[in-house]
């Protein structure tokens, strides 16, 4: 049996003499890979443009593996939706999509959060600023549509040739541009540039043919000109001699640029009345065949423009990235240290720092702090082709479209702006901190197994970025480093001595942490920080330190306190070394706000803080009472054991111990209910702990406690006071009296008593 992978799957059961088409019901076409199982001839695993499918019954039924993010995105666009912006993009053979950059779901961003905006091969999308319900998407070869995100209606708005005009040659991935100066103005391109001032309802060509306008099949291919009788199939391929990129200056609406697939850059300074042609081979080191991947007009300087070019179709994978400061008359390479074979797909410029640039390449994303003189690769993303980049300016997020692994978001890249010589020279610096939004996380659907895909949301809380010039080490690390060097050199490794090893073992660990304080200077939380050189990130989850009672025997209780209310807070990086705490940075402000207004009025902050303070004290007191009760139970057992080992019988002490056990059981039942009922799950009457748990429910939401929650807290406090008096009487009176009696009858030492004094025996 043979399988041939193509748009469909061809199968032969007689070694290739005859072929039939494999069943592919409910499965995507465009097949690329297939795998088998030697122990199961009915099993097929197929890779397609849409992902991976498997069949267990020889293609009668197909299962799609929905938990693998394998989407090939050509382009990416972002809108300005609230509270979370949305991401749009076009895919290889799977249409165009839209979805949230973040959700308030516990599970994260799931497949169901995304929707399809348009079919066929998806390419560039665009969104109207200030009106995210109006979006644009296109199919291959310039099939442009305006989409109403409320109704889902798709209106075809592709420009059309006029009477007597030749057909329009749209690139496979034709460029869409929404004007910086008018949100209803669009630019689109075929072999010429089109402009619409009414969202695509009507178009005007503002250029002539800006390409070389060649006869495609008269061009060399495979080393020479080919016969008409060869198996040509240009219908399923991109048109040639087309415009591939458009740019408009955000400072001057009349300054426009267009780039083509046949090696031309065109510029106009009068809105398209006249165009200046720049052949790409005028740029230093650029071949005449280079494809213009991207043009970007500078955000700050009207005369500055950037261009990214690509010559990989001619076997040349080198990066070509250039800047002009005179409207394209002269050009300078800003490839700098971007590695060879990292062809460049896209460039974007930061909207705050004109020198901060980002480049999407064939093998990852790079950024430059100095306008392209030097580049650094951004970690965290896979080493894969990134075809497009977009910046969401409100959130300072960088969004990358990868060709095979979906979208990637670098949340709040703004700390990159703060990196300068002063920061690099300082021992430590905390970068400005983005406002933290408080919201309730919703549960979408519970546990649905590993087949239910969910992308991670950004960490909840205040994300703190800090720079450490140097890391701290330890004596053990220093010794091991030296020993590695000696071993590498083939030298003996000396024994450091027991004293040195002991000192290593018990050397206090150096710790870094972020100190969170409120606006009154009260300590809220100490969050452990990484001891790592360079830029680091941690997220404070907006919770204060736990105020639960701490037991000696390891009973620590819940370590997380409640979330703080909205307000102003600060973060300071500190180091603890040899017991000494040193603040390494000045405090950096953190603003905490609600993500949304609530349906009902929220409790005033002062009242909410007062309630949580009372709740914390009550919870701590009840936890302390529980620890005290458990310790007294353990002590009663120890006292009984000591009585059994005493030098004398003591019926009176035995009776007191029996009474102690009865008193402790009665207190246990008051606090926790009847243990026999608890054992079989029978309900108890409300206990002090039940009342507390109801009160705690009032601290989980931003509305504040209900009157029922407040009543429960008051009842719990009153019941605690009764129990406290009884517990303290047992602890301070009953138990000491029993212990005294045990000492008098020669019982052994019991934990908690003073250490016994020894009389040194004189030798005869």
């Amino acid at each position: 049996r043979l399988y041939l992978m193509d748009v469909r799957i061809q199968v032969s059961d007689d070694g290739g003499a005859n072929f039939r088409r494999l069943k592919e019901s409910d499965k995507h076409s465009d097949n690329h890979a297939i795998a088998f199982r030697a122990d199961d001839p009915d099993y097929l695993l197929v890779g397609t443009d849409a992902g991976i499918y498997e069949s267990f019954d020889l293609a009668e039924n197909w299962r799609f593996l929905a938990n693998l993010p394998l989407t090939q995105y050509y382009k990416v666009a972002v809108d300005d939706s609230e509270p979370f912006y949305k991401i749009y993009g076009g895919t290889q053979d799977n249409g165009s999509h839209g979805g949230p950059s973040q959700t308030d779901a516990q599970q994260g961003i799931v497949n169901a959060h995304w929707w399809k905006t348009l079919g066929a091969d998806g390419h560039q999308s665009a969104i109207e600023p200030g009106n995210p319900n109006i979006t644009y998407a296109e199919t291959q070869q310039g099939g442009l549509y305006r989409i109403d995100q409320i109704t889902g209606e798709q209106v075809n708005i592709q420009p059309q040739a006029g009477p007597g005009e030749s057909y329009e040659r749209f690139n496979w991935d034709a460029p869409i541009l929404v004007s910086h100066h008018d949100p209803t103005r669009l630019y689109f391109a075929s072999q010429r540039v089109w402009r619409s001032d009414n969202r695509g309802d009507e178009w005007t060509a503002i250029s002539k043919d800006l390409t070389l306008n060649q006869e495609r099949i008269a061009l060399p291919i495979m080393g020479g000109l080919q016969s008409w009788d060869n198996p040509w199939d240009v219908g399923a391929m991109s048109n040639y001699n087309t415009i591939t990129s458009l740019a408009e200056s955000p400072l001057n609406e009349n300054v426009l640029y267009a780039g083509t697939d046949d090696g031309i850059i065109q510029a106009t300074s009068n809105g398209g009345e006249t165009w200046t042609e720049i052949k790409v081979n005028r740029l230093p080191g650029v071949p005449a065949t280079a494809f213009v991947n991207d043009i970007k007009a500078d955000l700050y300087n009207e005369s500055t423009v950037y261009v990214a070019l690509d010559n990989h179709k001619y076997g040349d994978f080198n990066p070509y990235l250039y800047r002009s400061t005179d409207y394209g008359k002269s050009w300078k390479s800003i490839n700098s240290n971007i590695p060879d074979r990292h062809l460049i797909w896209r460039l974007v410029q930061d909207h705050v720092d004109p020198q901060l640039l980002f480049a999407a390449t064939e093998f990852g994303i790079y950024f430059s702090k100095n306008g392209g003189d030097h580049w650094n690769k951004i970690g965290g993303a896979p080493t894969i082709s990134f075809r497009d980049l977009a910046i969401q300016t409100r959130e300072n997020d960088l969004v990358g479209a990868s060709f095979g692994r979906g979208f990637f978001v670098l949340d709040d890249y703004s700390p990159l702006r703060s990196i300068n010589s002063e920061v690099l020279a300082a021992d430590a610096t905390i970068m400005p901190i983005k406002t933290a939004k408080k919201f309730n996380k919703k549960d979408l659907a519970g546990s649905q197994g590993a087949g239910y895909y969910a992308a991670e949301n950004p960490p909840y809380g205040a994300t703190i970025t800090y720079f450490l010039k140097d890391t701290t080490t330890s004596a053990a690390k220093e010794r091991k480093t030296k020993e590695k060097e000696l071993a590498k050199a083939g030298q003996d490794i000396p024994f450091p001595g027991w004293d040195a090893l002991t000192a290593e073992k018990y050397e206090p660990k150096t710790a870094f942490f972020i100190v969170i304080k409120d606006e009154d200077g009260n300590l809220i939380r100490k969050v452990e920080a990484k001891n790592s050189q360079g830029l680091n990130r941690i997220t404070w989850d907006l919770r204060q330190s736990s105020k639960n009672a701490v037991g000696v025997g390891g009973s620590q209780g819940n370590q997380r306190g409640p979330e703080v209310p909205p307000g102003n807070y600060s973060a300071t990086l500190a180091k603890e070394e040899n017991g000494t705490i040193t603040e390494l940075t000045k405090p950096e402000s953190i603003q905490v706000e609600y993500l949304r207004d609530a349906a009902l009025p929220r409790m005033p902050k002062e009242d909410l803080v007062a309630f949580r303070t009372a709740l914390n004290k009550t919870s701590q007191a009840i936890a302390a009472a529980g620890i005290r009760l458990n310790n007294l139970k353990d002590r009663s057992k120890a006292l009984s054991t000591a009585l059994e080992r005493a030098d004398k019988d003591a019926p009176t002490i035995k009776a007191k111990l029996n009474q102690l056990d009865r008193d402790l059981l009665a207190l246990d039942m008051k606090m926790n209910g009847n243990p026999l009922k608890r054992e079989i799950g029978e309900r108890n009457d409300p206990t002090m702990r039940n009342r507390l748990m109801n009160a705690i429910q009032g601290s989980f939401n931003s509305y504040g406690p209900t009157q029922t929650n407040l009543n429960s807290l008051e009842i719990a406090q009153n019941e605690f006071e009764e129990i406290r008096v009884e517990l303290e009487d047992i602890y301070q009176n009953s138990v000491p009296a029993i212990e005294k009696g045990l000492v008098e009858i020669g019982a052994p030492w019991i934990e908690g008593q003073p250490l016994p004094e020894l009389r040194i025996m004189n030798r005869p």
Side-chain angles (χ1 to χ4, degrees), residues 124-271:
Q124 190 166 355
S125 297
I127 299 91
E128 181 173 308
N131 187 6
N133 286 321
I134 297 296
T135 66
Y136 304 91
E138 63 170 309
T139 63
Q140 64 269 46
Q141 316 285 25
L144 182 60
Y145 290 79
R146 184 180 66 230
I147 300 153
D148 186 322
Q149 294 299 339
I150 295 176
T151 65
E153 290 179 290
Q154 304 164 349
V155 179
N156 187 307
I157 57 170
Q158 185 189 54
Q160 299 296 307
E165 292 183 332
S166 179
Y167 68 92
E168 300 298 318
R169 298 189 304 273
F170 292 98
N171 190 265
W172 185 263
D173 185 10
I176 308 167
L177 183 65
V178 180
S179 173
H180 295 280
H181 303 279
D182 183 348
T184 65
R185 182 184 302 165
L186 299 179
Y187 293 97
F188 196 50
S190 52
Q191 73 272 22
R192 50 185 175 168
V193 179
W194 294 84
R195 169 174 161 168
S196 171
D197 290 300
N198 51 15
R199 299 187 176 95
D201 281 351
E202 186 178 18
W203 293 92
T204 301
I206 61 170
S207 79
K208 59 180 179 58
D209 188 338
L210 298 180
T211 74
L212 294 177
N213 189 22
Q214 298 162 304
E215 180 61 67
R216 161 176 214 159
I217 63 173
L219 298 176
I221 185 171
M222 295 188 295
L225 300 179
Q226 304 297 323
S227 167
W228 160 256
D229 295 314
N230 274 11
W232 299 94
D233 183 12
V234 297
M237 300 171 64
S238 179
N239 290 315
Y240 189 55
N241 303 126
T242 64
I243 295 172
T244 58
S245 187
L246 291 172
E248 175 199 52
S249 170
L251 306 175
N252 185 343
E253 63 182 343
N254 291 311
V255 175
L256 302 168
Y257 298 92
T260 74
D261 58 1
D262 53 11
I264 298 175
I265 299 169
Q266 299 274 5
T268 179
S269 59
N270 52 22

Side-chain angles (χ1 to χ4, degrees), residues 32 51 63-64 70 90 193 218 262 300 314 344 361 448 473 488 533 605 628 642 651 670 729:
H32 295 281
R63 171 177 175 254
F64 177 64
L70 300 176
V193 179
D262 53 11
Y300 308 87
Y314 290 84
I344 298 171
T361 81
Q448 296 195 32
T473 187
K488 190 174 181 180
Q533 187 179 31
K605 176 181 174 181
R628 175 63 56 82
K670 282 185 180 180
D729 179 61

Side-chain angles (χ1 to χ4, degrees), residues 396-435:
N396 296 304
D397 285 359
L398 179 71
V399 185
S402 82
F403 202 67
R405 294 282 299 279
F407 291 126
F408 285 79
V409 181
L410 175 58
D411 299 296
D412 187 20
Y413 68 80
S414 63
L416 293 177
R417 300 183 191 130
S418 302
I419 300 175
N420 53 38
S421 57
E422 183 179 342
V423 168
L424 296 176
D427 290 335
T429 304
I430 292 182
M431 310 302 182
I433 302 169
K434 183 178 177 180
T435 297

Side-chain angles (χ1 to χ4, degrees), residues 647-663:
D647 295 338
K648 300 177 183 178
D649 290 329
T652 303
I653 295 177
K654 181 64 175 176
K656 289 181 178 180
L657 279 171
N658 290 339
Q659 184 60 48
L660 174 62
D661 287 339
R662 287 191 293 271
D663 293 342

Side-chain angles (χ1 to χ4, degrees), residues 240 261-263 280-281 286-292 310-311 313-314 316:
Y240 189 55
D261 58 1
D262 53 11
V280 296
N281 58 357
V286 177
T289 51
F291 182 113
V292 181
D310 163 17
N311 199 41
K313 293 183 180 181
Y314 290 84
D316 173 10

